[in-house]
Amino acid sequence: MSSRFDPAALRRTILEMAFAGSTVHIVCAFSIVEILAVLYRNHLRLGDGTPRAEGRDYLVLSKGHGVMAQYACMRELGWLNDNDIRNYFGNGTILKGLSDAHVPGLEVTSGSLGHGLSVGVGMALGAKRKGSGQRCYAIVGDGEMNEGAVWEAILFAAHFKLDNLTLIVDENGFQAMGATHDILELGDLVQKLTAFGFDSIGVDGHDELRLDHALTRTKELSNGRPKAIVAKTIKGKGVSFMENKNSWHYTRLTKESYADALAEINAARATNGAWSS
């Protein structure tokens, strides 16, 4: 059994950071844990293994408020250490609550939603023109899909035939102020993205085997069409009292809720075991 990028361990790191920094966006990070785990474990080519390696694949977290999940993966890679995690939001830390390109290992500054995908499209275009073979994976939230700039980037990617771009939508059904279908109905995103010129597929965003298969397929199809994976996820996945509770978007942990969340994650891991590679 492989423990590398084990979702339970990643969720524990997220809780550790959130409690240490008394900060929010826990559930936003939880919904993308398996997506990031599979990307880092099996698909991202990291060159010499350093954060700014030449020829690396790009991972653009356009949904920048989920950055604690990426920090957790960066800890696994040795790009962050235990002190970075324990000092989250403390004096002298370089780690922010939103993705920031000044942090080695993060490709974009994406606190303002809707812009990260455009940067990722530019990276994919540059790699295509250089013939470097680099791929770009861009993760957006379904609430972020309300932004017009996202659809401009999607049109651009299809027009320039960026088949080295994979858009991953974290479709957890919520955004900061409520359910996505109440705020702005998105319809069937797989059908919509297909109509915009993408090869698109919907998957369970917590099923690592299906995610792995979908990501493998994106690399096999060099047909001039960008790729899209619409990952159906659960906001707060992994802790029952957080799952689909949108109030946790901005709720901070107490000593009691921190202990309860850790106990639940540890119990689930003991029952299910680590993902087998």
Side-chain angles (χ1 to χ4, degrees):
M1 301 290 281
S2 172
S3 60
R4 188 162 169 78
F5 302 106
D6 171 40
L10 298 178
R11 286 190 171 91
R12 282 197 299 270
T13 294
I14 292 165
L15 288 171
E16 188 179 349
M17 297 185 82
F19 185 64
S22 187
T23 188
V24 298
H25 295 147
I26 301 161
V27 291
C28 316
F30 275 8
S31 65
I32 59 173
V33 162
E34 282 79 11
I35 295 167
L36 288 171
V38 173
L39 279 168
Y40 276 106
R41 188 192 297 129
N42 291 343
H43 296 281
L44 285 170
R45 294 173 300 176
L46 299 177
D48 63 10
T50 58
R52 300 282 194 232
E54 285 291 322
R56 68 189 181 280
D57 286 340
Y58 302 117
L59 175 57
V60 170
L61 187 63
S62 192
K63 177 191 155 167
H65 54 293
V67 73
M68 284 191 292
Q70 191 166 5
Y71 289 149
C73 293
M74 290 162 63
R75 182 191 206 179
E76 295 264 336
L77 290 165
W79 297 351
L80 297 177
N81 58 40
D82 291 349
N83 189 59
D84 293 318
I85 302 303
R86 297 188 191 111
N87 196 41
Y88 190 50
F89 270 38
N91 290 335
T93 184
I94 64 168
L95 304 183
K96 315 269 194 323
L98 301 164
S99 180
D100 189 318
H102 293 96
V103 177
L106 303 182
E107 301 289 359
V108 297
T109 300
S110 55
S112 182
L113 294 178
H115 301 303
L117 179 60
S118 295
V119 177
V121 166
M123 290 173 165
L125 178 64
K128 199 73 164 164
R129 289 187 169 176
K130 288 190 299 182
S132 67
Q134 292 164 280
R135 302 191 64 82
C136 179
Y137 300 89
I139 301 173
V140 306
D142 51 353
E144 187 179 5
M145 298 290 283
N146 295 355
E147 299 286 351
V150 169
W151 295 97
E152 291 181 58
I154 287 167
L155 285 167
F156 186 98
H159 177 78
F160 284 95
K161 305 184 187 308
L162 300 182
D163 54 9
N164 61 334
L165 173 74
T166 298
L167 168 64
I168 304 171
V169 182
D170 172 28
E171 192 180 36
N172 65 34
F174 289 97
Q175 53 200 95
M177 295 295 108
T180 53
H181 64 78
D182 289 335
I183 294 168
L184 192 64
E185 179 60 60
L186 294 169
D188 187 321
L189 284 175
V190 172
Q191 289 184 7
K192 193 165 288 185
L193 288 164
T194 299
F196 272 70
F198 279 58
D199 285 327
S200 308
I201 188 173
V203 299
D204 179 341
H206 302 299
D207 186 324
E208 294 175 85
L209 290 173
R210 291 186 184 277
L211 282 165
D212 185 59
H213 177 72
L215 286 162
T216 298
R217 287 290 294 148
T218 68
K219 294 183 287 189
E220 293 172 347
L221 294 171
S222 299
N223 57 1
R225 291 167 63 88
K227 317 304 174 195
I229 297 171
V230 179
K232 185 66 176 176
T233 61
I234 296 171
K235 194 166 186 175
K237 173 69 174 178
V239 175
S240 61
F241 60 83
M242 295 182 183
E243 289 184 357
N244 290 322
K245 301 293 192 300
N246 206 44
S247 59
W248 272 95
H249 190 101
Y250 290 127
T251 298
R252 289 170 169 80
L253 290 164
T254 63
K255 287 183 179 179
E256 293 75 18
S257 59
Y258 176 52
D260 289 346
L262 276 178
E264 191 169 328
I265 287 171
N266 289 335
R269 187 182 187 279
T271 301
N272 300 326
W275 189 85
S276 179
S277 61

